[in-house]
Amino acid sequence: MVARTGQRAQSVAVIDIGSNSVRLVVYESLARSLVTIFNEKALCGLGREVQSTGLLAKDAVDKALVALKRFRALCKIMKVGRVYAIATAAARDASNGPDFITAAEKICGTEIQIISGPREAKLSALGVISGVHKPNGLVGDMGGGSLELIDVRGNSLRQGITLPLGGLALQDASKDSPKRAERIIAKAFADVEQLKACEGRNFYAVGGTWRALARLHILQSGYPLKVMHGYTISAADALSFVRRVRRFATANVLADIETITEARQPLLVYAAILLEHIIRIGKPKSIVFSTYGVREGLFYEMLTPAQRAEDGLLGAAETMNQLYSRSARHAQELSDWSDHFARVTKLQETDEDKRLRRIACLLSDIGWRVHPDHRGEQTLHLITNGNFGSVDHHGRAFLALSVYYRYAGFSAENEPPEIVRALVTPAQVERARLLGALFRVAHLISAAQPGVLPAAHFTVQDRKMMLIFEHRLVDLVADRVGSRFKQLARLVGKSGSVVRR
Protein backbone atom coordinates (compact mmCIF):
# COMPACT_ATOMS: atom_id res chain seq x y z
CA MET A 1 0.00 0.00 0.00
CA VAL A 2 1.13 3.58 -0.52
CA ALA A 3 1.92 5.70 2.53
CA ARG A 4 -1.00 7.60 4.07
CA THR A 5 -1.17 11.38 3.90
CA GLY A 6 1.44 12.86 6.23
CA GLN A 7 3.60 9.74 6.12
CA ARG A 8 6.59 9.55 3.78
CA ALA A 9 7.90 6.06 3.15
CA GLN A 10 11.68 5.82 3.26
CA SER A 11 13.22 4.98 -0.09
CA VAL A 12 15.77 2.18 -0.35
CA ALA A 13 18.43 1.47 -2.94
CA VAL A 14 20.77 -1.33 -3.88
CA ILE A 15 24.11 -1.00 -5.63
CA ASP A 16 24.72 -4.34 -7.30
CA ILE A 17 28.35 -4.93 -8.34
CA GLY A 18 28.12 -7.84 -10.74
CA SER A 19 30.68 -9.53 -12.95
CA ASN A 20 29.34 -7.87 -16.09
CA SER A 21 27.33 -4.85 -14.95
CA VAL A 22 27.31 -2.44 -12.02
CA ARG A 23 23.79 -1.24 -11.32
CA LEU A 24 21.89 1.15 -9.08
CA VAL A 25 18.20 0.54 -8.42
CA VAL A 26 16.18 2.85 -6.16
CA TYR A 27 12.80 1.74 -4.83
CA GLU A 28 10.05 3.91 -3.40
CA SER A 29 10.08 1.95 -0.14
CA LEU A 30 10.78 -1.45 1.33
CA ALA A 31 7.49 -3.22 0.58
CA ARG A 32 6.06 -6.49 -0.67
CA SER A 33 5.41 -4.91 -4.07
CA LEU A 34 8.53 -2.92 -4.91
CA VAL A 35 8.08 0.25 -6.96
CA THR A 36 11.20 1.22 -8.93
CA ILE A 37 11.81 4.96 -9.15
CA PHE A 38 15.29 4.83 -10.70
CA ASN A 39 17.34 2.15 -12.48
CA GLU A 40 20.70 2.56 -14.18
CA LYS A 41 23.51 0.19 -15.10
CA ALA A 42 27.04 0.44 -16.43
CA LEU A 43 28.45 -2.54 -18.31
CA CYS A 44 31.95 -2.68 -16.82
CA GLY A 45 32.98 -6.30 -17.42
CA LEU A 46 34.68 -6.81 -14.05
CA GLY A 47 34.72 -10.57 -14.54
CA ARG A 48 36.17 -10.45 -18.04
CA GLU A 49 39.59 -11.97 -17.18
CA VAL A 50 39.09 -13.58 -13.77
CA GLN A 51 39.11 -17.16 -15.08
CA SER A 52 42.37 -16.76 -16.98
CA THR A 53 44.32 -14.29 -14.82
CA GLY A 54 42.60 -14.45 -11.44
CA LEU A 55 42.36 -10.67 -11.51
CA LEU A 56 39.83 -7.92 -12.13
CA ALA A 57 41.05 -6.04 -15.20
CA LYS A 58 42.33 -2.54 -14.37
CA ASP A 59 40.23 -0.77 -17.02
CA ALA A 60 37.12 -2.58 -15.77
CA VAL A 61 37.89 -1.57 -12.19
CA ASP A 62 38.40 2.06 -13.22
CA LYS A 63 35.11 2.06 -15.12
CA ALA A 64 33.26 0.50 -12.17
CA LEU A 65 34.63 3.04 -9.70
CA VAL A 66 33.56 5.92 -11.95
CA ALA A 67 30.06 4.41 -12.13
CA LEU A 68 29.95 4.05 -8.34
CA LYS A 69 30.85 7.72 -7.89
CA ARG A 70 27.88 8.66 -10.06
CA PHE A 71 25.60 6.25 -8.20
CA ARG A 72 26.60 7.69 -4.84
CA ALA A 73 25.94 11.23 -6.11
CA LEU A 74 22.55 10.14 -7.46
CA CYS A 75 21.60 8.64 -4.09
CA LYS A 76 22.46 11.94 -2.41
CA ILE A 77 20.40 14.13 -4.73
CA MET A 78 17.50 11.65 -4.54
CA LYS A 79 17.78 11.65 -0.73
CA VAL A 80 17.64 7.86 -0.61
CA GLY A 81 16.81 6.68 2.90
CA ARG A 82 19.00 3.58 3.00
CA VAL A 83 21.57 2.28 0.52
CA TYR A 84 22.62 -1.37 0.43
CA ALA A 85 25.54 -2.61 -1.64
CA ILE A 86 26.37 -6.15 -2.75
CA ALA A 87 29.06 -7.76 -4.90
CA THR A 88 28.99 -11.18 -6.52
CA ALA A 89 31.23 -13.61 -8.43
CA ALA A 90 33.96 -11.40 -9.89
CA ALA A 91 34.67 -9.56 -6.63
CA ARG A 92 34.62 -12.73 -4.53
CA ASP A 93 36.77 -14.81 -6.92
CA ALA A 94 39.49 -12.35 -8.02
CA SER A 95 42.66 -12.08 -5.94
CA ASN A 96 42.51 -8.29 -6.18
CA GLY A 97 38.82 -8.32 -5.30
CA PRO A 98 39.41 -7.16 -1.67
CA ASP A 99 41.38 -4.11 -2.86
CA PHE A 100 38.59 -3.21 -5.27
CA ILE A 101 35.94 -3.61 -2.56
CA THR A 102 37.92 -1.37 -0.20
CA ALA A 103 38.08 1.38 -2.84
CA ALA A 104 34.42 0.87 -3.72
CA GLU A 105 33.31 1.12 -0.08
CA LYS A 106 35.07 4.46 0.31
CA ILE A 107 33.16 5.79 -2.69
CA CYS A 108 29.78 4.29 -1.76
CA GLY A 109 30.02 5.27 1.91
CA THR A 110 28.54 1.96 2.96
CA GLU A 111 29.65 -1.60 3.58
CA ILE A 112 29.56 -3.86 0.53
CA GLN A 113 28.35 -7.40 1.18
CA ILE A 114 30.31 -9.95 -0.82
CA ILE A 115 27.65 -12.54 -1.56
CA SER A 116 28.75 -16.19 -1.55
CA GLY A 117 27.63 -18.50 -4.34
CA PRO A 118 25.03 -20.42 -2.28
CA ARG A 119 23.68 -17.17 -0.84
CA GLU A 120 23.46 -15.66 -4.33
CA ALA A 121 21.42 -18.70 -5.36
CA LYS A 122 19.13 -18.24 -2.36
CA LEU A 123 18.59 -14.54 -3.05
CA SER A 124 17.84 -15.28 -6.71
CA ALA A 125 15.22 -17.81 -5.64
CA LEU A 126 13.70 -15.37 -3.16
CA GLY A 127 13.53 -12.82 -5.96
CA VAL A 128 11.61 -15.27 -8.12
CA ILE A 129 9.30 -16.10 -5.21
CA SER A 130 8.62 -12.38 -4.77
CA GLY A 131 7.88 -11.85 -8.48
CA VAL A 132 6.21 -15.07 -9.64
CA HIS A 133 2.90 -16.33 -8.27
CA LYS A 134 3.44 -19.80 -6.80
CA PRO A 135 6.63 -20.70 -8.71
CA ASN A 136 7.50 -24.35 -9.27
CA GLY A 137 10.77 -25.28 -10.88
CA LEU A 138 14.47 -24.56 -11.09
CA VAL A 139 15.87 -21.03 -10.86
CA GLY A 140 18.96 -20.40 -12.97
CA ASP A 141 20.69 -17.04 -12.43
CA MET A 142 23.29 -16.47 -15.13
CA GLY A 143 25.56 -13.56 -14.40
CA GLY A 144 28.85 -12.58 -15.94
CA GLY A 145 30.95 -14.76 -13.66
CA SER A 146 28.73 -17.58 -12.45
CA LEU A 147 25.54 -19.58 -12.80
CA GLU A 148 23.46 -20.29 -9.70
CA LEU A 149 20.92 -23.12 -9.68
CA ILE A 150 18.31 -23.61 -6.97
CA ASP A 151 15.03 -25.52 -6.73
CA VAL A 152 11.91 -23.60 -5.67
CA ARG A 153 8.36 -24.80 -4.91
CA GLY A 154 5.94 -22.10 -3.82
CA ASN A 155 7.62 -20.35 -0.89
CA SER A 156 10.03 -23.22 -0.22
CA LEU A 157 13.53 -23.52 -1.61
CA ARG A 158 16.37 -26.00 -1.39
CA GLN A 159 20.12 -25.61 -1.13
CA GLY A 160 21.52 -23.95 -4.23
CA ILE A 161 24.82 -24.38 -6.03
CA THR A 162 27.08 -22.05 -7.97
CA LEU A 163 29.11 -22.91 -11.07
CA PRO A 164 31.70 -20.80 -12.97
CA LEU A 165 29.45 -20.68 -16.04
CA GLY A 166 28.63 -16.98 -16.37
CA GLY A 167 28.84 -15.40 -19.80
CA LEU A 168 32.16 -13.60 -19.28
CA ALA A 169 33.61 -16.59 -17.42
CA LEU A 170 32.77 -18.92 -20.31
CA GLN A 171 34.12 -16.49 -22.87
CA ASP A 172 37.36 -16.18 -20.87
CA ALA A 173 37.85 -19.85 -19.97
CA SER A 174 37.10 -21.01 -23.53
CA LYS A 175 39.37 -18.34 -25.07
CA ASP A 176 36.33 -17.06 -26.95
CA SER A 177 35.54 -20.46 -28.48
CA PRO A 178 31.91 -21.61 -28.31
CA LYS A 179 33.03 -25.20 -29.02
CA ARG A 180 35.37 -25.18 -26.01
CA ALA A 181 32.64 -23.52 -23.94
CA GLU A 182 30.32 -26.39 -24.81
CA ARG A 183 32.84 -28.89 -23.44
CA ILE A 184 33.29 -26.81 -20.28
CA ILE A 185 29.53 -26.72 -19.71
CA ALA A 186 29.10 -30.46 -20.36
CA LYS A 187 31.83 -31.27 -17.83
CA ALA A 188 30.41 -28.90 -15.21
CA PHE A 189 26.90 -30.35 -15.60
CA ALA A 190 28.00 -34.00 -15.40
CA ASP A 191 27.09 -34.41 -11.73
CA VAL A 192 24.56 -31.62 -11.12
CA GLU A 193 21.61 -33.28 -9.38
CA GLN A 194 19.54 -30.07 -9.36
CA LEU A 195 19.00 -30.30 -13.11
CA LYS A 196 17.35 -33.72 -12.88
CA ALA A 197 14.61 -32.34 -10.60
CA CYS A 198 13.58 -29.87 -13.32
CA GLU A 199 11.85 -32.42 -15.56
CA GLY A 200 8.29 -31.41 -16.44
CA ARG A 201 8.54 -28.18 -14.41
CA ASN A 202 9.57 -24.60 -15.19
CA PHE A 203 13.06 -23.25 -15.61
CA TYR A 204 13.20 -19.65 -14.36
CA ALA A 205 15.88 -17.76 -16.28
CA VAL A 206 17.31 -14.85 -14.28
CA GLY A 207 20.00 -12.49 -15.53
CA GLY A 208 20.61 -9.81 -18.15
CA THR A 209 22.05 -12.04 -20.87
CA TRP A 210 19.09 -14.39 -20.74
CA ARG A 211 16.77 -11.38 -20.82
CA ALA A 212 18.58 -10.33 -23.99
CA LEU A 213 17.76 -13.76 -25.43
CA ALA A 214 14.10 -13.23 -24.49
CA ARG A 215 14.13 -9.79 -26.13
CA LEU A 216 15.49 -11.34 -29.33
CA HIS A 217 12.83 -14.08 -29.25
CA ILE A 218 10.06 -11.50 -28.80
CA LEU A 219 11.42 -9.50 -31.72
CA GLN A 220 11.57 -12.49 -34.04
CA SER A 221 8.22 -14.00 -33.04
CA GLY A 222 6.21 -10.75 -33.23
CA TYR A 223 4.90 -11.30 -29.71
CA PRO A 224 2.55 -8.42 -28.73
CA LEU A 225 3.97 -7.61 -25.28
CA LYS A 226 7.43 -6.20 -24.67
CA VAL A 227 7.40 -7.11 -20.97
CA MET A 228 10.34 -9.37 -20.13
CA HIS A 229 9.09 -10.51 -16.75
CA GLY A 230 6.94 -13.60 -17.02
CA TYR A 231 7.63 -14.10 -20.72
CA THR A 232 7.23 -17.84 -21.22
CA ILE A 233 8.12 -20.16 -24.08
CA SER A 234 7.93 -23.93 -24.31
CA ALA A 235 11.15 -25.87 -23.86
CA ALA A 236 10.83 -27.22 -27.40
CA ASP A 237 10.50 -23.70 -28.83
CA ALA A 238 13.39 -22.49 -26.69
CA LEU A 239 15.62 -25.35 -27.84
CA SER A 240 14.94 -24.57 -31.49
CA PHE A 241 15.54 -20.87 -30.85
CA VAL A 242 18.88 -21.19 -29.03
CA ARG A 243 20.16 -23.40 -31.82
CA ARG A 244 19.25 -20.63 -34.28
CA VAL A 245 21.10 -18.14 -32.10
CA ARG A 246 24.20 -20.30 -32.30
CA ARG A 247 23.92 -20.31 -36.09
CA PHE A 248 23.45 -16.53 -36.04
CA ALA A 249 26.63 -16.19 -33.98
CA THR A 250 28.58 -18.36 -36.41
CA ALA A 251 27.36 -16.22 -39.30
CA ASN A 252 28.13 -13.03 -37.30
CA VAL A 253 24.49 -11.92 -37.63
CA LEU A 254 24.04 -10.96 -33.96
CA ALA A 255 26.19 -7.86 -34.41
CA ASP A 256 23.51 -6.43 -36.70
CA ILE A 257 20.67 -6.70 -34.15
CA GLU A 258 20.19 -3.22 -32.69
CA THR A 259 17.93 -4.27 -29.81
CA ILE A 260 20.84 -6.11 -28.14
CA THR A 261 23.51 -3.88 -26.61
CA GLU A 262 26.96 -4.20 -28.11
CA ALA A 263 28.44 -5.45 -24.83
CA ARG A 264 25.82 -8.22 -24.58
CA GLN A 265 26.07 -9.49 -28.16
CA PRO A 266 29.24 -11.63 -27.72
CA LEU A 267 27.71 -13.29 -24.65
CA LEU A 268 24.46 -14.39 -26.30
CA VAL A 269 26.03 -17.47 -27.84
CA TYR A 270 27.25 -18.65 -24.40
CA ALA A 271 23.81 -18.08 -22.92
CA ALA A 272 22.34 -20.06 -25.82
CA ILE A 273 24.74 -22.97 -25.34
CA LEU A 274 24.10 -22.99 -21.60
CA LEU A 275 20.31 -22.97 -22.02
CA GLU A 276 20.52 -25.73 -24.65
CA HIS A 277 22.34 -27.98 -22.18
CA ILE A 278 19.88 -27.15 -19.39
CA ILE A 279 16.95 -28.08 -21.63
CA ARG A 280 18.51 -31.31 -22.89
CA ILE A 281 19.59 -32.49 -19.44
CA GLY A 282 16.87 -31.03 -17.22
CA LYS A 283 13.93 -31.54 -19.59
CA PRO A 284 11.86 -28.59 -18.25
CA LYS A 285 8.33 -27.96 -19.49
CA SER A 286 8.77 -24.23 -20.08
CA ILE A 287 11.32 -21.46 -19.86
CA VAL A 288 10.06 -18.48 -17.82
CA PHE A 289 12.12 -15.28 -17.91
CA SER A 290 12.21 -13.38 -14.63
CA THR A 291 13.40 -9.81 -14.14
CA TYR A 292 13.15 -10.44 -10.39
CA GLY A 293 16.38 -11.83 -8.96
CA VAL A 294 19.08 -11.14 -6.38
CA ARG A 295 18.19 -7.47 -5.77
CA GLU A 296 14.50 -8.15 -5.23
CA GLY A 297 15.37 -11.23 -3.18
CA LEU A 298 17.58 -9.13 -0.92
CA PHE A 299 14.66 -6.86 0.00
CA TYR A 300 12.11 -9.69 0.11
CA GLU A 301 14.29 -11.36 2.74
CA MET A 302 14.09 -8.20 4.89
CA LEU A 303 10.29 -8.28 5.07
CA THR A 304 8.41 -9.74 8.02
CA PRO A 305 6.86 -13.21 7.52
CA ALA A 306 3.43 -11.55 7.31
CA GLN A 307 4.63 -9.18 4.57
CA ARG A 308 6.23 -11.99 2.60
CA ALA A 309 2.94 -13.89 2.71
CA GLU A 310 1.10 -11.02 1.00
CA ASP A 311 0.11 -11.24 -2.68
CA GLY A 312 2.56 -9.12 -4.67
CA LEU A 313 0.12 -8.40 -7.49
CA LEU A 314 -2.62 -7.47 -5.03
CA GLY A 315 -0.23 -5.01 -3.40
CA ALA A 316 0.60 -3.43 -6.76
CA ALA A 317 -3.10 -3.18 -7.65
CA GLU A 318 -3.91 -1.59 -4.28
CA THR A 319 -1.19 1.00 -4.89
CA MET A 320 -2.52 1.80 -8.37
CA ASN A 321 -6.03 2.02 -6.91
CA GLN A 322 -4.84 4.48 -4.26
CA LEU A 323 -2.97 6.61 -6.81
CA TYR A 324 -5.29 6.63 -9.83
CA SER A 325 -8.88 5.83 -8.82
CA ARG A 326 -11.46 8.42 -7.82
CA SER A 327 -12.15 6.51 -4.63
CA ALA A 328 -9.97 3.72 -3.29
CA ARG A 329 -12.76 2.60 -0.93
CA HIS A 330 -15.20 2.31 -3.84
CA ALA A 331 -12.88 -0.16 -5.57
CA GLN A 332 -12.78 -2.26 -2.39
CA GLU A 333 -16.60 -2.17 -2.24
CA LEU A 334 -16.71 -3.19 -5.90
CA SER A 335 -14.55 -6.19 -5.08
CA ASP A 336 -17.03 -7.27 -2.39
CA TRP A 337 -19.93 -6.54 -4.77
CA SER A 338 -18.36 -8.79 -7.39
CA ASP A 339 -18.12 -11.54 -4.74
CA HIS A 340 -21.87 -11.19 -4.20
CA PHE A 341 -22.49 -11.33 -7.95
CA ALA A 342 -20.33 -14.48 -8.29
CA ARG A 343 -22.22 -16.21 -5.46
CA VAL A 344 -25.69 -15.30 -6.75
CA THR A 345 -24.94 -16.34 -10.34
CA LYS A 346 -22.98 -19.43 -9.18
CA LEU A 347 -20.08 -18.34 -11.33
CA GLN A 348 -17.64 -21.20 -11.79
CA GLU A 349 -14.22 -19.94 -10.72
CA THR A 350 -10.84 -21.37 -9.84
CA ASP A 351 -8.83 -19.75 -7.05
CA GLU A 352 -6.82 -17.90 -9.72
CA ASP A 353 -10.01 -16.71 -11.45
CA LYS A 354 -11.26 -15.28 -8.16
CA ARG A 355 -7.89 -13.65 -7.46
CA LEU A 356 -7.79 -11.93 -10.85
CA ARG A 357 -11.45 -10.85 -10.59
CA ARG A 358 -10.81 -9.06 -7.30
CA ILE A 359 -7.64 -7.45 -8.65
CA ALA A 360 -9.50 -6.28 -11.77
CA CYS A 361 -11.96 -4.49 -9.47
CA LEU A 362 -9.09 -2.51 -7.97
CA LEU A 363 -7.97 -1.45 -11.46
CA SER A 364 -11.42 -0.68 -12.85
CA ASP A 365 -11.27 3.12 -12.41
CA ILE A 366 -7.61 3.90 -13.12
CA GLY A 367 -8.34 5.44 -16.53
CA TRP A 368 -10.88 8.06 -15.51
CA ARG A 369 -8.54 11.02 -16.13
CA VAL A 370 -7.93 9.98 -19.75
CA HIS A 371 -10.07 11.45 -22.55
CA PRO A 372 -13.22 9.27 -22.85
CA ASP A 373 -12.41 8.28 -26.44
CA HIS A 374 -9.10 6.73 -25.39
CA ARG A 375 -9.69 5.25 -21.94
CA GLY A 376 -10.01 1.70 -23.21
CA GLU A 377 -6.81 1.63 -25.24
CA GLN A 378 -4.82 3.59 -22.65
CA THR A 379 -5.74 1.29 -19.76
CA LEU A 380 -5.16 -1.75 -21.98
CA HIS A 381 -1.61 -0.54 -22.61
CA LEU A 382 -1.03 0.47 -18.98
CA ILE A 383 -2.02 -2.90 -17.53
CA THR A 384 -0.46 -5.18 -20.15
CA ASN A 385 2.85 -3.33 -19.81
CA GLY A 386 2.66 -2.48 -16.12
CA ASN A 387 5.82 -2.73 -14.02
CA PHE A 388 4.59 -5.35 -11.54
CA GLY A 389 5.08 -9.03 -10.85
CA SER A 390 3.22 -12.06 -9.47
CA VAL A 391 1.21 -12.42 -12.69
CA ASP A 392 1.92 -14.18 -15.97
CA HIS A 393 1.22 -12.68 -19.38
CA HIS A 394 -2.14 -14.46 -19.64
CA GLY A 395 -3.18 -12.82 -16.37
CA ARG A 396 -1.99 -9.40 -17.57
CA ALA A 397 -4.05 -9.73 -20.73
CA PHE A 398 -7.15 -10.86 -18.80
CA LEU A 399 -6.95 -7.92 -16.38
CA ALA A 400 -6.36 -5.48 -19.23
CA LEU A 401 -9.30 -6.82 -21.25
CA SER A 402 -11.64 -6.65 -18.25
CA VAL A 403 -10.90 -2.96 -17.72
CA TYR A 404 -10.86 -2.30 -21.48
CA TYR A 405 -14.43 -3.60 -21.84
CA ARG A 406 -15.48 -1.49 -18.84
CA TYR A 407 -14.47 1.64 -20.79
CA ALA A 408 -14.98 0.68 -24.45
CA GLY A 409 -18.17 -1.35 -24.21
CA PHE A 410 -19.06 -4.17 -26.57
CA SER A 411 -19.71 -2.66 -30.00
CA ALA A 412 -18.01 -4.43 -32.92
CA GLU A 413 -15.92 -1.39 -33.80
CA ASN A 414 -14.54 -1.18 -30.26
CA GLU A 415 -13.18 -4.71 -29.96
CA PRO A 416 -9.70 -4.83 -28.39
CA PRO A 417 -6.72 -5.75 -30.58
CA GLU A 418 -6.66 -9.39 -31.65
CA ILE A 419 -3.02 -9.71 -30.61
CA VAL A 420 -4.05 -9.09 -26.99
CA ARG A 421 -7.12 -11.34 -27.13
CA ALA A 422 -4.88 -14.09 -28.53
CA LEU A 423 -2.97 -14.17 -25.24
CA VAL A 424 -5.97 -15.69 -23.44
CA THR A 425 -8.47 -18.45 -24.18
CA PRO A 426 -11.92 -17.70 -25.66
CA ALA A 427 -13.41 -18.60 -22.27
CA GLN A 428 -11.20 -16.00 -20.59
CA VAL A 429 -12.25 -13.38 -23.14
CA GLU A 430 -15.88 -14.08 -22.25
CA ARG A 431 -15.07 -13.84 -18.55
CA ALA A 432 -13.34 -10.50 -19.19
CA ARG A 433 -16.44 -9.28 -21.05
CA LEU A 434 -18.59 -10.34 -18.10
CA LEU A 435 -16.42 -8.43 -15.64
CA GLY A 436 -16.37 -5.40 -17.94
CA ALA A 437 -20.19 -5.47 -18.05
CA LEU A 438 -20.33 -5.72 -14.25
CA PHE A 439 -18.02 -2.72 -13.94
CA ARG A 440 -20.13 -0.72 -16.40
CA VAL A 441 -23.18 -1.23 -14.20
CA ALA A 442 -21.31 -0.53 -10.96
CA HIS A 443 -19.67 2.71 -12.08
CA LEU A 444 -22.85 4.00 -13.73
CA ILE A 445 -24.96 3.67 -10.59
CA SER A 446 -22.27 4.79 -8.13
CA ALA A 447 -20.23 7.41 -10.06
CA ALA A 448 -17.25 5.60 -8.49
CA GLN A 449 -18.25 6.90 -5.05
CA PRO A 450 -18.23 4.77 -1.89
CA GLY A 451 -21.34 3.83 0.06
CA VAL A 452 -23.57 3.10 -2.95
CA LEU A 453 -22.85 -0.47 -4.07
CA PRO A 454 -23.58 -2.03 -0.66
CA ALA A 455 -27.17 -0.79 -1.04
CA ALA A 456 -27.70 -2.46 -4.46
CA HIS A 457 -28.26 -6.22 -4.29
CA PHE A 458 -28.38 -9.06 -6.79
CA THR A 459 -30.93 -11.84 -6.63
CA VAL A 460 -31.80 -14.68 -9.01
CA GLN A 461 -35.14 -16.43 -9.48
CA ASP A 462 -35.02 -19.23 -12.03
CA ARG A 463 -33.82 -17.57 -15.26
CA LYS A 464 -34.37 -14.03 -14.10
CA MET A 465 -31.77 -11.85 -12.37
CA MET A 466 -32.77 -8.68 -10.53
CA LEU A 467 -30.80 -5.73 -9.22
CA ILE A 468 -32.62 -4.45 -6.15
CA PHE A 469 -32.05 -0.86 -4.98
CA GLU A 470 -32.67 0.05 -1.36
CA HIS A 471 -35.13 2.91 -0.82
CA ARG A 472 -32.42 5.56 -0.28
CA LEU A 473 -31.03 4.90 -3.77
CA VAL A 474 -34.23 4.73 -5.83
CA ASP A 475 -33.50 8.04 -7.54
CA LEU A 476 -30.42 6.46 -9.12
CA VAL A 477 -32.57 4.12 -11.19
CA ALA A 478 -32.75 5.13 -14.86
CA ASP A 479 -33.30 3.57 -18.27
CA ARG A 480 -29.57 3.51 -18.95
CA VAL A 481 -28.97 1.59 -15.73
CA GLY A 482 -31.65 -0.90 -16.76
CA SER A 483 -30.21 -1.44 -20.24
CA ARG A 484 -26.69 -2.02 -18.93
CA PHE A 485 -27.96 -4.43 -16.30
CA LYS A 486 -29.94 -6.38 -18.93
CA GLN A 487 -26.73 -6.62 -20.97
CA LEU A 488 -24.93 -8.03 -17.91
CA ALA A 489 -27.74 -10.52 -17.24
CA ARG A 490 -27.64 -11.80 -20.82
CA LEU A 491 -23.96 -12.68 -20.39
CA VAL A 492 -24.91 -15.14 -17.65
CA GLY A 493 -27.85 -16.50 -19.65
CA LYS A 494 -30.63 -14.68 -17.83
CA SER A 495 -33.11 -11.86 -18.32
CA GLY A 496 -32.55 -8.83 -16.15
CA SER A 497 -34.65 -6.19 -14.42
CA VAL A 498 -34.05 -3.39 -11.93
CA VAL A 499 -36.26 -3.30 -8.81
CA ARG A 500 -36.91 -0.43 -6.39
CA ARG A 501 -37.40 -1.66 -2.85
Side-chain angles (χ1 to χ4, degrees), residues 110-348:
T110 189
E111 178 186 359
I112 297 174
Q113 301 176 49
I114 301 177
I115 305 296
S116 69
R119 176 152 172 75
E120 188 175 356
K122 179 184 178 182
L123 291 178
S124 294
L126 290 176
V128 169
I129 289 170
S130 75
V132 177
H133 188 56
K134 297 181 179 179
N136 179 21
L138 185 68
V139 175
D141 185 349
M142 181 188 183
S146 62
L147 169 73
E148 280 70 43
L149 296 173
I150 183 167
D151 192 282
V152 60
R153 296 172 187 263
N155 294 325
S156 301
L157 49 89
R158 298 183 180 180
Q159 184 68 27
I161 62 167
T162 185
L163 301 165
L165 301 178
L168 291 174
L170 284 170
Q171 186 181 41
D172 186 19
S174 69
K175 297 180 172 57
D176 207 12
S177 168
K179 287 186 178 180
R180 288 197 198 99
E182 191 162 11
R183 292 194 291 271
I184 291 170
I185 293 168
K187 183 177 179 181
F189 278 168
D191 299 314
V192 176
E193 291 297 319
Q194 280 85 348
L195 282 175
K196 297 176 183 177
C198 190
E199 185 171 357
R201 301 163 70 208
N202 290 326
F203 178 76
Y204 298 98
V206 177
T209 307
W210 268 334
R211 287 198 300 274
L213 274 182
R215 190 174 297 111
L216 183 57
H217 189 275
I218 286 173
L219 177 68
Q220 292 195 339
S221 65
Y223 188 74
L225 302 189
K226 302 298 185 265
V227 178
M228 293 294 109
H229 185 67
Y231 182 59
T232 303
I233 54 179
S234 70
D237 187 10
L239 188 59
S240 174
F241 171 69
V242 294
R243 287 171 176 168
R244 288 201 307 274
V245 170
R246 294 184 63 177
R247 292 196 295 272
F248 291 161
T250 302
N252 202 31
V253 174
L254 293 177
D256 299 327
I257 301 175
E258 296 180 357
T259 57
I260 308 301
T261 61
E262 187 175 349
R264 292 272 189 212
Q265 289 169 1
L267 304 183
L268 281 181
V269 65
Y270 300 103
I273 296 170
L274 192 58
L275 189 54
E276 180 177 349
H277 277 72
I278 288 169
I279 293 170
R280 287 198 291 104
I281 297 169
K283 298 179 174 59
K285 173 185 65 175
S286 300
I287 311 301
V288 181
F289 295 90
S290 173
T291 62
Y292 288 62
V294 169
R295 294 180 293 274
E296 291 76 18
L298 179 72
F299 289 126
Y300 181 79
E301 188 179 48
M302 296 179 190
L303 300 175
T304 66
Q307 288 173 315
R308 289 198 294 269
E310 293 172 0
D311 186 324
L313 178 60
L314 180 62
E318 287 175 338
T319 298
M320 293 180 74
N321 176 36
Q322 289 273 359
L323 291 173
Y324 302 130
S325 298
R326 283 171 285 186
S327 166
R329 188 159 69 89
H330 174 269
Q332 296 289 348
E333 290 179 355
L334 175 57
S335 182
D336 295 338
W337 204 61
S338 75
D339 282 342
H340 176 49
F341 174 80
R343 287 193 302 271
V344 166
T345 59
K346 298 181 180 179
L347 189 64
Q348 297 298 307

Side-chain angles (χ1 to χ4, degrees), residues 32-48:
R32 175 63 182 87
S33 180
L34 292 169
V35 178
T36 304
I37 58 177
F38 186 84
N39 188 335
E40 183 177 305
K41 70 179 177 184
L43 290 169
C44 302
L46 282 170
R48 191 177 68 235

Side-chain angles (χ1 to χ4, degrees), residues 46 50 53-58 61 90-91 93-102:
L46 282 170
V50 172
T53 69
L55 297 169
L56 304 173
K58 184 180 183 307
V61 168
D93 294 340
S95 59
N96 60 343
D99 292 336
F100 165 71
I101 292 297
T102 297

Side-chain angles (χ1 to χ4, degrees), residues 413-483:
E413 63 270 18
N414 284 337
E415 276 298 312
E418 174 58 32
I419 56 174
V420 177
R421 281 184 290 160
L423 292 173
V424 297
T425 66
Q428 288 173 314
V429 172
E430 289 308 307
R431 188 176 290 273
R433 286 170 61 86
L434 178 62
L435 271 187
L438 180 68
F439 297 160
R440 287 172 67 77
V441 173
H443 285 280
L444 181 62
I445 64 177
S446 67
Q449 298 306 303
V452 178
L453 295 179
H457 312 282
F458 298 104
T459 186
V460 171
Q461 295 178 357
D462 297 325
R463 298 192 59 80
K464 185 175 183 179
M465 183 166 68
M466 292 172 284
L467 179 60
I468 302 174
F469 283 78
E470 292 182 5
H471 179 73
R472 66 185 177 89
L473 296 182
V474 293
D475 289 342
L476 292 176
V477 177
D479 290 343
R480 196 170 176 219
V481 173
S483 62

